[in-house]
Amino acid sequence: MFEEFNLDHRVNLGVSELGLQTATEVQARTLPLALAGRDLSISAETGSGKTLAYLVPTLHKLLSSPVDRNAGTLALVLVPTRELARQVVKHCRALASKSPIQVQAITGGADFKYQRSLFRKNPEVIVATPGRLLEHCERGSADLGALQTLVLDEADRMLDLGFREDVLKIAGYAPDTKQVLMLSATLKHKGLSGVARSLLKDPESVAVGRVRQAHSSIAHQRILADNPAHKDKLLTALLQSGDYQRTLVFANKRNTASRLGALLRRADVRSDTLHGDLSTEERKRVIARINDGKVQAVCASDVAARGIDISRVDLVINYDMPHNGEDYLHRTGRTGRAGHTGLAISLVTAADWNLMIGIQRYLDISFEHRAFPGLKARYAGPKKVKSSGKAAGSKNKAAGSKKKQTKNKASGGRSADSKRSKRTTGKSRPTATQNNGFAPLMKKKPKDE
């Protein structure tokens, strides 16, 4: 029960307004330390209640001690994405609904002059993305001189997006006496220790569950596929036949996400698309549409894997396998939240097999095999596997090819193909002079966020 933490009564009213009665494990372990003023490094699985674990003590601190409401920003939450900023603001406003505390968001994609006017109103709590907030600090719009609490939410993601220097510069505008709470999916991210050394004073670590642990309420399945065209058919069939009210479909590239959204709409599946090219207002519209039940599926790139506020996601489909286990955690963590069960289905081709096995081993999970009636793949998995479960033979083939090339070079560079070509056609192959010695240049495909 939250009563045991002796919180300000207005915070308790906010907690009740949110319908919360019992603190989660990460909240129960974090609150006493945060309320005592300790700097913290916190890691816990997605959906474990980390947001309230730092918002509750932050608001209690503002309400329980006399502060100058016109001193500027008193609490700052830095987040990597606009979606997460909106989610945090929503929770913070609900928690502060029975108090005079004002909460505002400062993110990229919004009008700079309007945001400057928000700072003039001296909101006590600011939730911001690093790039835009640093711009306000450098132009004198933001005043962090009286900052009491600095929160780095999803610090690992901010480092991955290249915000390390921005975060450190922003912290430099705040007093050294500030309390710093750093939250991350894992405390073993290679860049976190440097940031912690720079910003945290004698920090306490709070790690709930194993660092690399898939959400316990999610079932993980795989469906084998032959190629992208086969994946398209499987995706369409899954959404046409299943009773899924809210589905997230993840692709590795924004172009793929857009294509899948159009594919599903042609198949009469109510769908929309979410990726990094959309404006803030467009992203809000997409999230509102799925929350309101106007669309059944959102096809997204990884920009949407963290921080989007979509309630009760029934199903997550990995059209493309994520690049690593951490990305898999954040994609699938959109479902199975707040005590509900969830389902994650990955479409796996031969090219995806080793990546899938690597994710299984990293997270210590097992993908249950599933076949879709009438769309069974010809691909049934690798013919030979190593003890790890990965496909065997690729290195041997590469070694054999290299050995063959060395042998051909030793025999004067004449390959069997060149001999056969002279025997069968009587024509010589084009020389380096004839084709200028260059292969056609390939166009680079743009990378997704």
Side-chain angles (χ1 to χ4, degrees), residues 316-389:
V316 170
I317 297 177
N318 290 310
Y319 180 90
D320 293 324
M321 287 298 294
H323 297 301
N324 54 58
E326 294 297 339
D327 287 344
Y328 183 88
L329 273 181
H330 283 283
R331 287 185 182 186
T332 57
R334 299 301 98 199
T335 186
R337 300 168 73 93
H340 301 288
T341 58
L343 175 62
I345 299 176
S346 299
L347 306 182
V348 180
T349 64
D352 301 320
W353 181 272
N354 284 357
L355 187 54
M356 179 199 71
I357 295 298
I359 290 172
Q360 280 192 153
R361 289 169 60 84
Y362 181 81
L363 298 176
D364 191 22
I365 61 175
S366 179
F367 287 90
E368 175 193 354
H369 177 62
R370 173 176 174 179
F372 200 88
L375 287 174
K376 186 177 180 180
R378 294 187 299 275
Y379 175 64
K383 294 180 180 178
K384 294 182 180 180
V385 295
K386 303 176 184 178
S387 58
S388 64

Side-chain angles (χ1 to χ4, degrees), residues 140-404:
S141 309
D143 181 6
L144 305 182
L147 192 74
Q148 296 183 5
T149 305
L150 171 62
V151 178
L152 309 179
D153 196 356
E154 296 202 356
D156 54 336
R157 179 64 168 162
M158 282 195 280
L159 295 183
D160 290 340
L161 292 175
F163 287 130
R164 181 182 185 277
E165 294 305 316
D166 288 358
V167 169
L168 294 178
K169 287 179 181 177
I170 290 168
Y173 285 93
D176 292 337
T177 54
K178 63 186 177 296
Q179 180 184 23
V180 181
L181 309 177
M182 185 172 72
L183 296 95
S184 172
T186 171
L187 298 179
K188 294 186 177 181
H189 188 286
K190 61 182 180 181
L192 285 180
S193 58
V195 173
R197 283 194 299 270
S198 299
L199 300 182
L200 278 68
K201 302 177 292 292
D202 189 25
E204 185 86 21
S205 292
V206 176
V208 177
R210 291 186 296 110
V211 171
R212 302 177 304 189
Q213 185 173 28
H215 204 296
S216 56
S217 61
I218 300 173
H220 304 273
Q221 298 179 349
R222 61 175 166 87
I223 300 178
L224 297 180
D226 295 319
N227 48 46
H230 189 200
K231 281 186 176 184
D232 289 353
K233 293 178 182 178
L234 287 167
L235 174 64
T236 303
L238 279 168
L239 292 177
Q240 286 178 333
S241 62
D243 185 23
Y244 305 113
Q245 301 301 312
R246 292 184 178 92
T247 299
L248 286 177
V249 181
F250 283 105
N252 288 340
K253 296 183 178 180
R254 65 187 70 173
N255 290 342
T256 306
S258 296
R259 182 183 69 79
L260 295 178
L263 171 75
L264 292 176
R265 286 190 292 274
R266 289 195 299 271
D268 293 327
V269 176
R270 291 175 291 114
S271 64
D272 214 326
T273 306
L274 191 63
H275 54 67
D277 277 348
L278 300 181
S279 67
T280 299
E281 291 306 314
E282 287 172 325
R283 295 187 197 192
K284 285 182 180 178
R285 177 187 59 79
V286 173
I287 294 172
R289 289 189 74 200
I290 191 168
N291 276 329
D292 294 342
K294 294 179 180 178
V295 297
Q296 175 188 353
V298 169
C299 300
S301 63
D302 274 320
V303 72
R306 301 192 185 210
I308 55 175
D309 188 16
I310 299 176
S311 59
R312 296 293 299 272
V313 173
D314 305 303
L315 172 65
V316 170
I317 297 177
N318 290 310
Y319 180 90
D320 293 324
M321 287 298 294
H323 297 301
N324 54 58
E326 294 297 339
D327 287 344
Y328 183 88
L329 273 181
H330 283 283
R331 287 185 182 186
T332 57
R334 299 301 98 199
T335 186
R337 300 168 73 93
H340 301 288
T341 58
L343 175 62
I345 299 176
S346 299
L347 306 182
V348 180
T349 64
D352 301 320
W353 181 272
N354 284 357
L355 187 54
M356 179 199 71
I357 295 298
I359 290 172
Q360 280 192 153
R361 289 169 60 84
Y362 181 81
L363 298 176
D364 191 22
I365 61 175
S366 179
F367 287 90
E368 175 193 354
H369 177 62
R370 173 176 174 179
F372 200 88
L375 287 174
K376 186 177 180 180
R378 294 187 299 275
Y379 175 64
K383 294 180 180 178
K384 294 182 180 180
V385 295
K386 303 176 184 178
S387 58
S388 64
K390 291 187 176 182
S394 56
K395 287 186 177 180
N396 291 336
K397 288 181 180 178
S401 175
K402 188 173 182 181
K403 186 176 180 181
K404 185 176 181 180

Side-chain angles (χ1 to χ4, degrees), residues 70-148:
N70 297 314
T73 304
L74 301 177
L76 171 62
V77 181
L78 290 179
V79 296
T81 65
R82 296 173 235 177
E83 286 74 26
L84 183 55
R86 283 195 291 273
Q87 183 177 342
V88 173
V89 166
K90 178 182 176 181
H91 287 306
C92 193
R93 284 177 175 168
L95 194 61
S97 61
K98 304 301 180 181
S99 76
I101 288 178
Q102 297 298 309
V103 185
Q104 295 293 347
I106 302 294
T107 66
D111 183 74
F112 189 89
K113 290 182 179 179
Y114 173 73
Q115 290 179 340
R116 189 160 52 196
S117 72
L118 294 179
F119 278 114
R120 287 197 290 267
K121 296 177 182 179
N122 290 312
E124 290 86 353
V125 181
I126 291 291
V127 182
T129 49
R132 175 52 64 91
L133 181 65
L134 180 59
E135 192 177 355
H136 279 286
C137 289
E138 292 174 339
R139 294 193 185 187
S141 309
D143 181 6
L144 305 182
L147 192 74
Q148 296 183 5

Side-chain angles (χ1 to χ4, degrees), residues 1-7 12 15 20-24 28 31:
M1 302 295 287
F2 282 90
E3 284 79 1
E4 66 185 81
F5 299 110
N6 296 318
L7 300 171
N12 278 326
V15 169
L20 303 176
Q21 295 181 347
T22 305
T24 65
L31 261 60

